[in-house]
Each structure stands twice: as structure tokens, then as C-alpha cells.
Amino acid sequence: MAIASLFGFPNIPEESKHIEFWKDPERSGWLTKQGEYIKTWRRRWFVLKEGHMFWFKDDKVTKDSQPRGVINVGRCLTIKGAEDVINRAHAFELSTSNDTLFFIADSDKEKEDWINSVGRAIVRHSRSVTDYEVLDYDCRSHTRAAPTPPSTAAAVAGGAGASDPSPDPSVPKAEEGSPGDANAAADPSG
């Protein structure tokens, strides 16, 4: 997915329009942001609210303010320091599976506060299981709740050409012969 559609350029996506960004933000403050198309650095006022990071030209945000853009942090994968990547103090990056945005805070404390706040928002608003699949850990198999797109089907089946779809290694294995053991369920004598 391109940054343009993920990060809301040039219009604010429908999913973000209901958010009252002008009231009680989870975090707000000045950050310097690198532009998506023209890679210049611009100072913007950022507001984090309900899993969305809005930015504005000034810090006087009201109901009538028009965001310059928005990031749905629930679609982001990581946020981390980036001083060594862009050779600037107090820098951090916010990444999706396809793109990375860079920001510069005014101090190390501000950088760490933004990383912590956005990191918590990523965890709260990300989807660990897609709408197309449901994981049944009791049977250690995947069941589909709806038709699965080909890219998701390959991931669910363990990748294209996988002959042994392995269960998630972070999930404890059922004891052999227990009702949750897939092999025991396949053997009528067990």
C-alpha cells in the first residue's frame, strides 16, 4: 500500500473523519517531518488521538482545523530511534510493511515520549488477526471465517509450496494424545 493511501494524502480518509482531534489528545507537540514527495523537512504540530496521528501547520487546533495529513498507526509495524539512519539528533522512524516516515523531535525526552505513545497506540489499534482468518489454537490449525484472498491463503498455508504448515511457534503445543492434538483427532482409535 502506498504511503499516499495509508497516510491520508491529500484527503483525510473516512476512517479518521469521526475523530475529535481537537479534544483531549493522547499526545501532541511539535515534530519536524520529512515530506513524502519532496524530501524537505517541515515543522508540524502533531496530535495523537484514537490510533491516528494528525498533523497541522500550527498548534492552534480547533474543530474547524484542517489536518495536513493523518497516519493510521494501527497499520504501522514499528517505531524506533533513527539518529544513525538519517544522521540527525532526536530522530525516529515510523514504518509499515512498505514505507518509512522520519521525524525529528526537539529533545531526546520528546523523542522517547513520542516513541512510547505511538508504540502503545500501535499495540492498541493494530489487528493481530485479519478479518479473513481465525486461528483455532485448540486444533492447531487455521480455519477461515470468510473467503481468503490469495496472499492471505499462502500465508495461512505456510507459504506457497509449503508441505508442512507448522503451528505458530509462540503457542504451546498440546500434549500428544490430548483432545487438542491434531494427530489424535485424526486417529479414531486414540
Side-chain angles (χ1 to χ4, degrees):
M1 181 178 294
I3 286 179
S5 61
L6 178 62
F7 295 102
F9 298 103
N11 299 318
I12 302 303
E14 284 299 318
E15 68 187 24
S16 305
K17 288 183 179 178
H18 74 281
I19 298 171
E20 296 178 343
F21 51 76
W22 60 93
K23 286 186 186 176
D24 304 316
E26 296 160 34
R27 177 151 196 77
S28 61
W30 289 105
L31 293 171
T32 303
K33 175 191 164 302
Q34 189 176 41
E36 179 192 3
Y37 302 110
I38 301 171
K39 300 295 183 187
T40 57
W41 292 92
R42 294 209 169 107
R43 191 164 167 85
R44 298 289 185 233
W45 182 258
F46 280 81
V47 172
L48 178 63
K49 177 90 181 251
E50 297 178 26
H52 292 75
M53 231 172 117
F54 298 88
W55 65 91
F56 304 86
K57 277 194 168 183
D58 65 55
D59 61 348
K60 291 166 186 49
V61 178
T62 68
K63 184 177 182 176
D64 296 324
S65 296
Q66 286 295 314
R68 303 290 295 172
V70 62
I71 301 166
N72 179 342
V73 300
R75 295 182 185 164
C76 295
L77 302 174
T78 62
I79 183 166
K80 61 185 177 181
E83 289 94 346
D84 56 337
V85 177
I86 62 170
N87 296 318
R88 293 192 182 225
H90 323 304
F92 63 95
E93 64 183 60
L94 184 59
S95 300
T96 69
S97 58
N98 300 322
D99 299 301
T100 300
L101 287 177
F102 293 99
F103 303 89
I104 301 170
D106 290 340
S107 68
D108 272 340
K109 182 181 180 336
E110 284 288 311
K111 177 189 87 168
E112 292 303 321
D113 289 347
W114 275 105
I115 288 173
N116 290 333
S117 296
V118 174
R120 282 191 300 272
I122 290 171
V123 170
R124 272 196 313 269
H125 297 281
S126 66
R127 293 178 11 229
S128 59
V129 177
T130 68
D131 294 338
Y132 296 106
E133 65 181 341
V134 176
L135 300 176
D136 184 351
Y137 289 119
D138 289 335
C139 294
R140 294 188 314 162
S141 65
H142 299 273
T143 57
R144 295 185 181 105
T148 306
S151 61
T152 305
V156 169
S163 59
D164 179 25
S166 301
D168 185 338
S170 66
V171 178
K173 293 182 178 180
E175 291 182 34
E176 196 166 320
S178 70
D181 185 6
N183 293 328
D187 182 3
S189 65

